[in-house]
Amino acid sequence: MIEFINVSKRYPNGVAGLRNMNLRVENGEFVFVIGQSGEGKSTLLKLMTRQEIATSGKVIIDDEDIMKISKFKVHLLRRKVGVVFQDFKLLPKMTVFENVAFALEAIGLADSQVKEKTLRVLEMVGLSEKINDYPNQLSGGEQQRVAIARAIANDPPIIIADEPTGNLDPENSSQIMDILRRLNSEGKTIIMATHNYDLIYEKDCRVIQIKQGTIHQDEVRGYYEA
Amino acid sequence: MKLRQFQRNVRDGFKNTWNHLFMSLSSVITLTITLSLCAGFLLFAANTQEFTRGIEGEVRIFAQISPEAEDEDIQQILDTIDSIPEASVLSFNTGEEEYAYVMARMAGDDEQAREALSLATEGLQLPSTVIIDATSVDYVRDVATQVDGMDHIMSVNFGDEEMLSTLTTLTGTIRNVMIILVAVLMVLAVFLIQNTIKLTIYSRQEELKIQKLVGASVIHVTVPFIVEGLIIGVLGASIPILLTMIGYAAIYREAGGFMVVQLLSMAGPNPLVYQIGFGMGLISIGVSLLGSFFAVSRYALKE
């Protein structure tokens, strides 16, 4: 469970990212976060992975206020929360296999387990044939699938995706959505920020609209009417 | 930290060095150039010191004692000289010893020459000689005058102390300038290397950030950079160390152990080159390790 309690975030330049935000996301939910650029979507997601620290309020994940975690223990939080970015953020000097394996090596798994899990997730996202390619040899859709494979490799219960389809064409976007839906059906909590309202056609999915750093609308609906 | 993780960190350190070859090379070259210059200056300073020591070693006063002096008189002369703070008796040779010394020097092992010389110098009695060491060239004249004033002293001789004094001052100045140059160069090297490493890490901020976002701990992202620093330090020091050890030994051999004239004897390569080499290695590794640690810790701890 993820909970925001009276969370405000003000950046050093005076810009308010979030204003007194209250939000609760249950385990296993698929939540779309929508809103114009600069309204606070990314701030919301960055707070969940401790890329930012709230100016006030609590962000609770698994009964722990993650704003209070020491810098030396943030990695433990990030092992519970997989992240996918719009610009993929793959490590350019590493192959597809190494990019995914890095996340598993970082948590200290044995080489045999690293290999087995890496191959399994790469198969799941349909990239078994490309394990020795470098990111610059892949299409945008493929790169994003590697990023998803990396995010889910160590089986985190929460996946945060910040505009994962932002740089992709409709076909690739639809593939990414299929993967995210499948992960959600396996019980993972998915929080996805998007500009692409066409993607929000899931029945009973939750859509949160952020405006000026607060929740403008929070509805469960069949599709989003802009 | 588990051994497995440490092995991975070391492997990643080597991989990073190779993957960022250009940056690694520029750090290594910076280190190589500055350390080579430092080694050069240090060797020069060591040699200048050796020259100074050599020249100062030449500052001796030879006092001849008249043959009439009794043993007690000689003992008194020696005691009086030893009581002068700026002087000490280096050796005392009786007339016979002086004679044997002159014979050995002139005739060597040649029996015939020895016989001829003995005949030619029959009846010759050399005076006993005291060799006195002054603590510094500046005191030579003073000490010589004092000794000359003593009873039973026949004559007092010493080298051209003004020339020696000028030479000593000159070599002393050169040595001091070299030491200052080395110190300045060291500070410069530290800044250069730290900046190069900072630049390297600055360009890899994004990489560090991604690694942390996918769950790597601060230690897991820091250690490979430290390993990288270590590799750069070792590589950067290797050429200056080899140059010092092999190059200086070769120069010493070629020059026959002295510069231009016999008086300017060179400092022997052993243990000098090992000391400088060890110092270079230590400085190189220390500077790169510290540089990479400070630079990486700044970014590794960012949110």
Side-chain angles (χ1 to χ4, degrees), chain A residues 28-30 124 177-190 202:
Chain A
E29 272 194 275
F30 197 129
M124 190 198 142
M177 286 311 297
D178 284 345
I179 295 171
L180 291 176
R181 266 197 299 271
R182 199 174 345 142
L183 290 169
N184 180 235
S185 69
E186 287 168 7
K188 295 197 188 299
T189 309
I190 314 270
E202 282 287 294

Side-chain angles (χ1 to χ4, degrees), chain A residues 199-223:
Chain A
L199 298 173
I200 310 168
Y201 58 88
E202 282 287 294
K203 278 223 160 165
D204 301 329
C205 68
R206 184 174 169 192
V207 180
I208 295 172
Q209 189 182 15
I210 309 260
K211 212 169 183 179
Q212 292 184 333
T214 53
I215 295 180
H216 183 62
Q217 274 184 311
D218 184 354
E219 293 177 89
V220 177
R221 53 179 132 180
Y223 60 93

Side-chain angles (χ1 to χ4, degrees), chain B residues 16-83:
Chain B
N16 287 350
T17 314
W18 179 250
N19 281 339
H20 303 91
L21 196 60
F22 182 73
M23 284 291 193
S24 311
L25 273 182
S26 52
S27 302
V28 169
I29 291 169
T30 310
L31 268 171
T32 304
I33 293 173
T34 38
L35 289 178
S36 298
L37 281 172
C38 280
F41 284 138
L42 280 174
L43 284 172
F44 199 91
N47 275 298
T48 322
Q49 191 162 15
E50 190 65 26
F51 297 163
T52 317
R53 203 179 299 143
I55 290 164
E56 278 178 348
E58 296 297 315
V59 185
R60 303 240 166 100
I61 300 159
F62 297 85
Q64 292 186 324
I65 302 170
S66 72
E68 295 91 52
E70 300 292 329
D71 282 355
E72 301 90 70
D73 299 327
I74 294 172
Q75 194 52 50
Q76 199 187 351
I77 290 169
L78 296 180
D79 290 344
T80 319
I81 294 171
D82 264 337
S83 69

Side-chain angles (χ1 to χ4, degrees), chain A residues 50-51 53 71-72 74-75 78-79 83 85 89-91 93-94 98 102-103 105-111 114 150, chain B residues 2 4-5 8 11-12 15 19-20 206-221 301-303:
Chain A
R50 252 294 286 272
Q51 291 178 72
I53 293 184
K71 280 181 181 183
F72 292 96
V74 171
H75 61 278
R78 289 177 180 164
R79 291 173 189 178
V83 208
F85 304 91
K89 295 209 190 301
L90 297 177
L91 295 162
K93 307 259 183 183
M94 289 188 187
E98 289 167 340
F102 180 86
E105 285 184 353
I107 64 173
L109 291 187
D111 289 346
V114 169
R150 181 180 63 186
Chain B
K2 281 185 199 164
R4 183 162 62 214
Q5 289 302 78
R8 282 172 181 161
R11 176 203 66 192
D12 288 344
K15 265 192 189 173
N19 281 339
H20 303 91
E206 184 67 11
E207 194 181 316
L208 267 176
K209 197 176 156 191
I210 297 169
Q211 292 182 343
K212 287 183 66 203
L213 271 173
V214 298
S217 65
V218 173
I219 292 173
H220 194 73
V221 296
L301 285 174
K302 265 190 174 175
E303 288 300 326

Side-chain angles (χ1 to χ4, degrees), chain B residues 72-123:
Chain B
E72 301 90 70
D73 299 327
I74 294 172
Q75 194 52 50
Q76 199 187 351
I77 290 169
L78 296 180
D79 290 344
T80 319
I81 294 171
D82 264 337
S83 69
I84 304 171
E86 297 85 20
S88 58
V89 173
L90 199 69
S91 67
F92 169 75
N93 298 329
T94 59
E96 291 76 41
E97 283 167 338
E98 280 292 302
Y99 182 75
Y101 175 68
V102 172
M103 283 291 273
R105 223 169 61 163
M106 290 177 78
D109 290 337
D110 193 336
E111 277 301 323
Q112 279 187 325
R114 194 174 276 271
E115 271 179 39
L117 268 171
S118 300
L119 277 173
T121 56
E122 214 178 328

Side-chain angles (χ1 to χ4, degrees), chain A residues 96-138:
Chain A
V96 167
F97 182 91
E98 289 167 340
N99 260 285
V100 178
F102 180 86
L104 295 168
E105 285 184 353
I107 64 173
L109 291 187
D111 289 346
S112 56
Q113 283 176 292
V114 169
K115 191 175 175 191
E116 184 214 316
K117 287 196 174 199
T118 304
L119 293 176
R120 183 150 39 104
V121 284
L122 283 172
E123 191 189 344
M124 190 198 142
V125 297
L127 287 172
S128 299
E129 307 293 310
K130 308 250 177 182
I131 56 169
N132 293 320
D133 286 9
Y134 283 89
N136 62 4
Q137 296 172 296
L138 303 177

